[in-house]
């Protein structure tokens, strides 16, 4: 275990900023979901259920397309300044969404937000990989993941309140501009890691020691991508369709739907951090990191599959219980899957690029989940079928974790 002195040197403050940056990115990406449950917004753009699915998915297509370039960027040019520029651009694009008057403009803003937010995960895990020891990686991943869970947890009720109190237009403007305040502590607290010319040569050689070909040939990478897709399919469904499900099938008001969305994502955030910390403590006692983290991931996927119970619930209270519980139990997998697939099984010099490759599957999950769920809702007239598909993907994730995530299949480092 690390000594007290070593622990004191762990840069928790920067990790907290990375968590807040991720939180803001999720507030900005999921604010559209609350707008899509607002009848004024739907009428303004004459949206069908299929239209809503495609609009929800627009973010994920550009987000996925830019993952690998962003991973390559932070591996070679550092985290601070690439992240700063992208953060500024996505906040401005979110604010400008409130000024659009046509569906094409709405889609364009979502594409810009998706492309620029693609920096967040590769940059965050690149920083964690360079600054956190193994005995803190689970907790670090858990703390970081809290941003991705509390983002929609906080963003959904805030966005719903802003729409009710003002309008969907002001909701986008305010959520976009307020986020810019984060740049002040970020610029002051984070050291400049943009390499000099000499350092750039060294960093390029280090990154080149694990080629894209080696990454793509690794079964671990493909196993991680499958896990990311299965996990992301459920969480992005909750981000994009849960408010509409609670309003349209369960009869809640828009305001109350935001409250229960908060409970679901607060539950997974707390469980993710707790599970990451517990796994770290077990590993610190000498147990195999891969085995420990895989056990938590499998338990999380199986626990999340209880979402299917919500479709069978006869009362609103039962449906809400299973919605909150299933997403909370998925938190057992969150931090440990992130630590396992992006840190423990990945050579340090290629964390950015490997994370970028994996995030392609995550963004694909978001796009497929948003659009496929919309189509399934359209053809079945019920949210039961979309939730049955979620159940199937979660079982695939549990099986995949047991089979493909093995150290001997990690990407190889060239001499």
């Amino acid at each position: 275990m690390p000594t007290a002195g070593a622990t004191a040197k762990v840069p928790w403050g920067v990790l907290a900023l990375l968590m807040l940056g991720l939180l803001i990115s999720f507030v900005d990406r999921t604010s559209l979901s609350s707008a899509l449950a607002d009848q004024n917004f739907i009428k303004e753009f004459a949206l069908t259920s299929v239209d809503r699915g495609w609009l929800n998915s627009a973010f994920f297509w550009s987000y996925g397309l830019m993952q690998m370039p962003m991973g390559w960027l932070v591996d070679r040019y550092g985290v601070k300044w690439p992240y700063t520029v992208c953060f500024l651009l996505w906040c401005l694009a979110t604010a400008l969404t409130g000024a659009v008057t046509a569906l094409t403009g709405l889609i364009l803003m979502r594409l810009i937000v998706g492309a620029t937010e693609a920096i967040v995960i590769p940059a965050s895990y690149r920083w964690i990989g360079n600054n956190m020891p193994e005995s803190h990686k689970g907790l670090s991943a858990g703390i970081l993941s809290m941003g991705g869970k509390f983002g929609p947890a906080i963003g959904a009720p805030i966005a719903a309140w802003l729409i009710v109190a003002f309008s969907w237009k002001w909701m986008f403007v305010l959520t976009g501009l307020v986020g810019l305040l984060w740049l002040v502590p970020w610029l002051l607290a984070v050291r400049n890691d943009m390499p000099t010319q000499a350092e750039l040569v060294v960093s390029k050689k280090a990154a080149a020691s694990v080629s894209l070909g080696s990454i793509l040939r690794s079964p671990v990478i493909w196993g991680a991508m499958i896990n990311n897709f299965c996990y992301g399919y459920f969480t992005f469904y909750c981000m994009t369709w849960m408010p509409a499900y609670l309003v349209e099938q369960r009869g809640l008001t828009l305001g109350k739907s935001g409250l229960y969305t908060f409970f679901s994502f607060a539950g997974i955030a707390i469980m993710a951090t707790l599970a990451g910390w517990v796994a770290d403590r077990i590993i610190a006692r000498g147990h195999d990191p891969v085995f420990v983290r895989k056990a938590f991931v499998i338990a999380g996927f199986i626990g999340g599959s209880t979402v299917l119970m919500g479709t069978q619930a006869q009362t609103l209270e039962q449906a809400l219980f299973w919605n909150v519980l299933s997403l909370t139990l998925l938190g057992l997998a969150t931090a440990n899957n992130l630590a396992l697939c992006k840190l423990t099984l990945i050579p340090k010099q290629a964390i950015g690029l490997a994370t970028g490759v994996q995030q392609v599957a995550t963004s694909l999950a978001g796009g497929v989940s948003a659009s496929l769920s919309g189509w399934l809702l359209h053809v079945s007239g019920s949210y039961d079928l979309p939730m049955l598909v979620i159940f199937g993907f979660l079982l695939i994730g549990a099986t995949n974790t047991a089979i493909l995530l093995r150290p001997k299949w990690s990407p190889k480092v060239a001499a």
Side-chain angles (χ1 to χ4, degrees), residues 233-303:
Y233 191 95
F234 184 17
T235 56
F236 286 126
Y237 168 85
C238 293
M239 293 176 197
T240 55
W241 282 104
M242 183 182 286
Y245 161 73
L246 294 175
V247 170
E248 296 170 6
Q249 186 153 318
R250 293 299 178 178
L252 292 183
T253 64
L254 180 59
K256 287 186 177 180
S257 75
L259 180 63
Y260 281 100
T261 300
F262 167 82
F263 288 144
S264 296
F265 281 99
I268 191 175
I270 294 169
M271 181 65 77
T273 305
L274 180 62
W277 178 81
V278 171
D280 283 349
R281 302 283 62 77
I282 295 173
I283 292 167
R285 293 175 181 173
H287 295 279
D288 177 43
V290 175
F291 178 84
V292 171
R293 299 205 191 280
K294 284 176 67 170
F296 274 88
V297 174
I298 292 170
F301 277 127
I302 294 174

Side-chain angles (χ1 to χ4, degrees), residues 42-81:
I42 294 171
K43 291 177 181 177
E44 174 102 13
F45 296 99
L47 300 174
T48 66
S49 293
V50 174
D51 292 333
R52 287 192 288 168
W54 282 112
L55 187 55
N56 257 326
S57 69
F59 165 92
F60 296 103
W61 302 126
S62 60
Y63 182 77
L65 184 65
M66 292 302 295
Q67 286 295 322
M68 288 175 59
M70 291 299 185
W72 178 90
L73 186 69
V74 298
D75 274 342
R76 285 159 176 77
Y77 298 102
V79 170
K80 181 174 182 176
W81 290 108

